[in-house]
Amino acid sequence: MPPIARPPFPLRSSVLIPATAATLVMLGWVRRAEQVSARPSSAARVGDVALQISFGDRSRTARLVVPDGAPPASGWPVVLLLHGAGGSADQVLRTTGWRDVARRERFVLVAADGTPANESRRARFVGNMRTWNSGVGAGLSTGETTAFAKRIDDVGFLLALLDTVSARTRVDPKRVFVAGHSNGAGMSYRVAAEHPERFAAVGVMAGHLFDDAPRTLSVPVPLVQIVGDHDPLVPMNGGPVRMGRGATVTLRPALDSPARWAAMNGLASAATILRDDSVTVRQWGAASDRVVVRSYVVKGHGHSWLWPNSGERLPERLVGPTRHALNATETIWSFFAARP
């Protein structure tokens, strides 16, 4: 979701003040990435804590949720969670239900923060939005102060963040997943496309695969996509989209991204429709295949993340209507959990 300049309607900010340095120091999690031991600990760091690492010339932040008790012999599964433009790690945890699923299903959850437009000021939804550098043509977050325009190495940051987490608790490198919404969905596509060897599957809602993505993946990676057919920011038929007072951007059709991802995995070009009622489910690849690409199109739904207890909604004129035909968090986790 792109920056919004002086919206003509009241807007309740869903974001979030980052944890202060003093709080992080008290938690014992402020440290440079290179200061963290690369050797996994046998005992998990239990809890829900702020994490800060130094990457490049920036201090980057995230939120880490680790189950209590000892990890399994193979290590904890991991979900890397990426917010949309204007959001934050705290916001995406509060409004998507991923924290509850992580505790119930016992996996490590890592919610990362993008970079605000003005890095010397506090991030805000209106006026100083966080964004991800999700690649060329990946959506609307491409203004002159965005992470894309500043060429921030978010791929490198996310990989360093995963390395830092694996140095703090035992994780299963074969069960690392990435999920994101909107601009965070685009970032999920990008990090997995550029480093498919690091991810067991990808889950996205309402985002775009970047234009210059590789034609093939060196390692096959399954994907699940969720999109609303009334999403004004990820239009089903593609075309020009304008956000607020920003520039108009021409976007690809919503189903172009999973179709291209299927081709990158060497799957047949035609998808099979598995269901067509309040939700249309398409799948590239057979159920018996090791890798599949699946798309859920929610009829009548717009851009918002589908979790019934969110309680936070942007105006319909901006993001379209909400139709709770499925729970996006549970749908994506079920897809991840089925990947051996």
Side-chain angles (χ1 to χ4, degrees):
M1 195 178 296
I4 305 171
R6 298 182 182 178
F9 43 81
L11 186 63
R12 179 165 62 107
S13 171
S14 59
V15 81
L16 354 253
I17 302 170
T20 64
T23 301
L24 295 169
V25 168
M26 289 170 59
L27 289 169
W29 284 79
V30 176
R31 59 187 66 227
R32 295 182 181 273
E34 61 267 23
Q35 292 176 323
V36 180
S37 168
R39 184 173 58 192
S41 168
S42 59
R45 292 297 186 101
V46 176
D48 187 328
V49 295
L51 177 63
Q52 181 172 321
I53 69 172
S54 178
F55 180 78
D57 59 353
R58 290 176 170 87
S59 178
R60 303 296 302 264
T61 56
R63 194 86 196 170
L64 178 63
V65 180
V66 179
D68 58 1
S74 59
W76 299 114
V78 179
V79 173
L80 175 63
L81 181 61
L82 306 180
H83 62 77
S88 70
D90 288 338
Q91 170 267 330
V92 76
L93 288 172
R94 187 175 64 250
T95 60
T96 63
W98 273 104
R99 181 187 273 118
D100 294 339
V101 176
R103 288 171 173 163
R104 184 191 75 213
E105 301 293 331
R106 297 181 59 75
F107 59 83
V108 168
L109 183 60
V110 189
D113 282 313
T115 307
N118 185 336
E119 297 177 60
S120 65
R121 294 172 47 227
R122 186 180 71 185
R124 299 179 63 87
F125 183 82
V126 178
N128 198 26
M129 302 178 79
R130 290 184 177 95
T131 57
W132 298 104
N133 181 3
S134 55
V136 177
L140 300 170
S141 298
T142 55
E144 62 183 13
T145 59
T146 62
F148 172 80
K150 292 188 283 188
R151 300 183 179 180
I152 292 175
D153 183 10
D154 279 326
V155 170
F157 160 59
L158 294 175
L159 297 181
L161 177 61
L162 289 173
D163 290 341
T164 299
V165 170
S166 67
R168 299 301 304 233
T169 189
R170 188 186 302 279
V171 303
D172 184 350
K174 295 181 179 180
R175 299 199 72 204
V176 177
F177 309 98
V178 59
H181 179 222
S182 194
N183 181 217
M187 192 67 233
S188 299
Y189 275 123
R190 184 175 185 186
V191 69
E194 295 188 4
H195 290 274
E197 75 284 354
R198 298 291 298 266
F199 298 98
V202 182
V204 295
M205 181 163 184
H208 296 273
L209 173 63
F210 58 117
D211 287 350
D212 53 347
R215 295 181 64 87
T216 60
L217 297 176
S218 59
V219 178
V221 182
L223 171 85
V224 57
Q225 178 216 37
I226 301 172
V227 66
D229 69 357
H230 280 53
D231 189 334
L233 307 179
V234 187
M236 290 303 297
N237 296 321
V241 176
R242 187 170 183 263
M243 183 67 166
R245 299 178 183 177
T248 297
V249 177
T250 300
L251 299 176
R252 294 172 181 259
L255 293 180
D256 177 80
S257 292
R260 290 168 62 206
W261 194 269
M264 290 159 62
N265 277 286
L267 299 174
S269 58
T272 300
I273 295 181
L274 305 180
R275 168 185 166 189
D276 192 10
D277 41 53
S278 60
V279 179
T280 301
V281 183
R282 293 174 175 84
Q283 183 163 292
W284 292 259
S288 59
D289 292 345
R290 177 170 172 262
V291 175
V292 298
V293 172
R294 192 176 301 154
S295 169
Y296 293 79
V297 176
V298 182
K299 296 179 182 179
H301 182 66
H303 191 75
S304 299
W305 186 274
L306 280 171
W307 181 56
N309 300 320
S310 173
E312 294 190 359
R313 294 284 183 269
L314 291 172
E316 186 170 322
R317 72 177 77 177
L318 176 64
V319 296
T322 299
R323 298 289 183 270
H324 287 290
L326 59 75
N327 182 320
T329 307
E330 297 286 359
T331 299
I332 292 174
W333 171 248
S334 294
F335 185 85
F336 288 171
R339 312 273 77 81

Short mmCIF file of all heavy atoms in Angstrom, two decimals, residues 128-158:
data_model
loop_
_atom_site.label_atom_id
_atom_site.label_comp_id
_atom_site.label_asym_id
_atom_site.label_seq_id
_atom_site.Cartn_x
_atom_site.Cartn_y
_atom_site.Cartn_z
N ASN A 128 4.70 9.25 7.30
CA ASN A 128 6.04 8.65 7.37
C ASN A 128 5.92 7.13 7.37
O ASN A 128 6.25 6.46 8.34
CB ASN A 128 6.79 9.14 8.60
CG ASN A 128 8.29 8.91 8.49
OD1 ASN A 128 8.84 8.85 7.39
ND2 ASN A 128 8.96 8.78 9.62
N MET A 129 5.45 6.60 6.27
CA MET A 129 5.13 5.17 6.17
C MET A 129 6.37 4.32 6.01
O MET A 129 7.32 4.68 5.33
CB MET A 129 4.21 4.93 4.98
CG MET A 129 2.90 5.69 5.02
SD MET A 129 1.90 5.38 3.55
CE MET A 129 1.21 3.78 3.97
N ARG A 130 6.32 3.13 6.62
CA ARG A 130 7.33 2.10 6.35
C ARG A 130 6.99 1.39 5.05
O ARG A 130 5.82 1.11 4.79
CB ARG A 130 7.38 1.07 7.47
CG ARG A 130 7.94 1.57 8.80
CD ARG A 130 8.02 0.40 9.78
NE ARG A 130 8.62 0.77 11.04
CZ ARG A 130 7.93 1.13 12.13
NH1 ARG A 130 6.60 1.18 12.07
NH2 ARG A 130 8.56 1.43 13.25
N THR A 131 8.00 1.07 4.25
CA THR A 131 7.80 0.30 3.04
C THR A 131 8.92 -0.72 2.88
O THR A 131 9.93 -0.68 3.60
CB THR A 131 7.77 1.20 1.78
OG1 THR A 131 9.00 1.95 1.71
CG2 THR A 131 6.59 2.15 1.81
N TRP A 132 8.72 -1.62 1.92
CA TRP A 132 9.71 -2.63 1.54
C TRP A 132 10.15 -2.38 0.10
O TRP A 132 9.35 -1.96 -0.73
CB TRP A 132 9.12 -4.04 1.63
CG TRP A 132 8.68 -4.46 2.98
CD1 TRP A 132 7.39 -4.53 3.45
CD2 TRP A 132 9.51 -4.88 4.06
NE1 TRP A 132 7.38 -4.96 4.74
CE2 TRP A 132 8.67 -5.19 5.15
CE3 TRP A 132 10.89 -5.04 4.20
CZ2 TRP A 132 9.16 -5.64 6.37
CZ3 TRP A 132 11.39 -5.48 5.42
CH2 TRP A 132 10.53 -5.78 6.48
N ASN A 133 11.40 -2.71 -0.19
CA ASN A 133 11.89 -2.67 -1.56
C ASN A 133 11.53 -3.99 -2.23
O ASN A 133 12.33 -4.92 -2.30
CB ASN A 133 13.40 -2.44 -1.59
CG ASN A 133 13.96 -2.36 -3.00
OD1 ASN A 133 13.22 -2.43 -3.98
ND2 ASN A 133 15.27 -2.24 -3.11
N SER A 134 10.29 -4.05 -2.73
CA SER A 134 9.77 -5.31 -3.26
C SER A 134 10.04 -5.51 -4.74
O SER A 134 9.60 -6.48 -5.33
CB SER A 134 8.27 -5.41 -2.98
OG SER A 134 7.58 -4.28 -3.49
N GLY A 135 10.78 -4.59 -5.38
CA GLY A 135 11.21 -4.79 -6.75
C GLY A 135 10.44 -4.00 -7.78
O GLY A 135 9.41 -3.39 -7.49
N VAL A 136 10.93 -4.03 -9.00
CA VAL A 136 10.36 -3.25 -10.10
C VAL A 136 8.93 -3.70 -10.40
O VAL A 136 8.66 -4.88 -10.58
CB VAL A 136 11.23 -3.42 -11.37
CG1 VAL A 136 10.61 -2.67 -12.55
CG2 VAL A 136 12.65 -2.92 -11.10
N GLY A 137 8.01 -2.73 -10.45
CA GLY A 137 6.64 -3.02 -10.84
C GLY A 137 5.86 -3.87 -9.87
O GLY A 137 4.82 -4.42 -10.22
N ALA A 138 6.33 -3.97 -8.61
CA ALA A 138 5.69 -4.87 -7.66
C ALA A 138 4.48 -4.25 -6.98
O ALA A 138 3.85 -4.90 -6.16
CB ALA A 138 6.69 -5.34 -6.61
N GLY A 139 4.16 -3.01 -7.28
CA GLY A 139 3.00 -2.42 -6.65
C GLY A 139 3.10 -0.91 -6.64
O GLY A 139 3.79 -0.31 -7.47
N LEU A 140 2.43 -0.30 -5.67
CA LEU A 140 2.31 1.15 -5.63
C LEU A 140 3.35 1.82 -4.74
O LEU A 140 3.45 3.04 -4.73
CB LEU A 140 0.91 1.52 -5.13
CG LEU A 140 -0.25 1.00 -5.98
CD1 LEU A 140 -1.56 1.21 -5.25
CD2 LEU A 140 -0.27 1.67 -7.33
N SER A 141 4.12 1.05 -3.99
CA SER A 141 5.08 1.62 -3.03
C SER A 141 6.41 1.91 -3.72
O SER A 141 7.44 1.32 -3.42
CB SER A 141 5.27 0.67 -1.85
OG SER A 141 4.07 0.50 -1.17
N THR A 142 6.37 2.83 -4.69
CA THR A 142 7.56 3.14 -5.49
C THR A 142 7.82 4.64 -5.56
O THR A 142 8.52 5.10 -6.45
CB THR A 142 7.42 2.59 -6.92
OG1 THR A 142 6.20 3.09 -7.50
CG2 THR A 142 7.39 1.07 -6.92
N GLY A 143 7.25 5.43 -4.64
CA GLY A 143 7.48 6.87 -4.62
C GLY A 143 8.92 7.20 -4.25
O GLY A 143 9.71 6.33 -3.86
N GLU A 144 9.26 8.49 -4.34
CA GLU A 144 10.66 8.89 -4.23
C GLU A 144 11.26 8.68 -2.84
O GLU A 144 12.49 8.69 -2.69
CB GLU A 144 10.81 10.35 -4.64
CG GLU A 144 10.04 11.33 -3.77
CD GLU A 144 10.15 12.77 -4.25
OE1 GLU A 144 10.63 12.97 -5.39
OE2 GLU A 144 9.78 13.68 -3.49
N THR A 145 10.45 8.51 -1.80
CA THR A 145 10.98 8.30 -0.46
C THR A 145 10.81 6.86 0.03
O THR A 145 11.02 6.57 1.20
CB THR A 145 10.31 9.25 0.54
OG1 THR A 145 8.90 9.01 0.54
CG2 THR A 145 10.58 10.70 0.19
N THR A 146 10.40 5.96 -0.85
CA THR A 146 10.16 4.59 -0.45
C THR A 146 11.46 3.79 -0.40
O THR A 146 12.50 4.21 -0.91
CB THR A 146 9.19 3.90 -1.42
OG1 THR A 146 9.80 3.88 -2.73
CG2 THR A 146 7.86 4.63 -1.49
N ALA A 147 11.37 2.60 0.18
CA ALA A 147 12.53 1.71 0.23
C ALA A 147 12.99 1.33 -1.18
O ALA A 147 14.19 1.18 -1.43
CB ALA A 147 12.18 0.45 1.02
N PHE A 148 12.04 1.20 -2.11
CA PHE A 148 12.39 0.90 -3.50
C PHE A 148 13.23 2.02 -4.09
O PHE A 148 14.28 1.79 -4.70
CB PHE A 148 11.12 0.68 -4.32
CG PHE A 148 11.37 0.56 -5.80
CD1 PHE A 148 11.82 -0.64 -6.34
CD2 PHE A 148 11.16 1.64 -6.65
CE1 PHE A 148 12.05 -0.76 -7.71
CE2 PHE A 148 11.38 1.52 -8.02
CZ PHE A 148 11.83 0.32 -8.54
N ALA A 149 12.77 3.26 -3.93
CA ALA A 149 13.49 4.40 -4.50
C ALA A 149 14.87 4.56 -3.86
O ALA A 149 15.82 4.95 -4.54
CB ALA A 149 12.67 5.67 -4.32
N LYS A 150 14.97 4.25 -2.58
CA LYS A 150 16.26 4.38 -1.88
C LYS A 150 17.16 3.16 -2.05
O LYS A 150 18.26 3.11 -1.53
CB LYS A 150 16.02 4.65 -0.39
CG LYS A 150 15.40 6.02 -0.13
CD LYS A 150 15.35 6.35 1.35
CE LYS A 150 14.23 5.65 2.08
NZ LYS A 150 14.08 6.12 3.48
N ARG A 151 16.65 2.15 -2.79
CA ARG A 151 17.41 0.93 -3.08
C ARG A 151 17.91 0.24 -1.81
O ARG A 151 19.03 -0.26 -1.75
CB ARG A 151 18.59 1.23 -4.02
CG ARG A 151 18.16 1.80 -5.36
CD ARG A 151 19.33 2.01 -6.28
NE ARG A 151 18.90 2.54 -7.56
CZ ARG A 151 19.72 2.83 -8.58
NH1 ARG A 151 21.03 2.61 -8.45
NH2 ARG A 151 19.25 3.31 -9.70
N ILE A 152 17.06 0.20 -0.83
CA ILE A 152 17.41 -0.46 0.42
C ILE A 152 17.50 -1.97 0.21
O ILE A 152 16.64 -2.57 -0.44
CB ILE A 152 16.39 -0.10 1.52
CG1 ILE A 152 16.53 1.38 1.88
CG2 ILE A 152 16.55 -0.99 2.76
CD1 ILE A 152 15.51 1.88 2.86
N ASP A 153 18.52 -2.58 0.75
CA ASP A 153 18.74 -4.02 0.58
C ASP A 153 17.89 -4.79 1.59
O ASP A 153 18.40 -5.32 2.58
CB ASP A 153 20.22 -4.35 0.75
CG ASP A 153 20.52 -5.83 0.51
OD1 ASP A 153 19.63 -6.56 0.03
OD2 ASP A 153 21.66 -6.26 0.83
N ASP A 154 16.58 -4.85 1.33
CA ASP A 154 15.69 -5.57 2.24
C ASP A 154 15.86 -7.07 2.12
O ASP A 154 15.64 -7.80 3.11
CB ASP A 154 14.24 -5.18 1.97
CG ASP A 154 13.86 -3.86 2.62
OD1 ASP A 154 14.39 -3.57 3.72
OD2 ASP A 154 13.06 -3.11 2.04
N VAL A 155 16.25 -7.57 0.95
CA VAL A 155 16.52 -9.01 0.83
C VAL A 155 17.66 -9.39 1.76
O VAL A 155 17.56 -10.35 2.54
CB VAL A 155 16.85 -9.39 -0.64
CG1 VAL A 155 17.37 -10.82 -0.71
CG2 VAL A 155 15.62 -9.22 -1.52
N GLY A 156 18.74 -8.64 1.71
CA GLY A 156 19.87 -8.93 2.59
C GLY A 156 19.52 -8.82 4.05
O GLY A 156 19.93 -9.64 4.88
N PHE A 157 18.71 -7.79 4.41
CA PHE A 157 18.29 -7.63 5.79
C PHE A 157 17.49 -8.83 6.27
O PHE A 157 17.72 -9.35 7.38
CB PHE A 157 17.47 -6.35 5.94
CG PHE A 157 16.60 -6.33 7.16
CD1 PHE A 157 17.14 -6.45 8.44
CD2 PHE A 157 15.22 -6.20 7.06
CE1 PHE A 157 16.33 -6.45 9.58
CE2 PHE A 157 14.40 -6.19 8.17
CZ PHE A 157 14.96 -6.32 9.44
N LEU A 158 16.53 -9.28 5.49
CA LEU A 158 15.68 -10.39 5.93
C LEU A 158 16.47 -11.68 6.10
O LEU A 158 16.23 -12.45 7.03
CB LEU A 158 14.52 -10.58 4.94
CG LEU A 158 13.52 -9.42 4.89
CD1 LEU A 158 12.49 -9.65 3.79
CD2 LEU A 158 12.83 -9.22 6.24
#
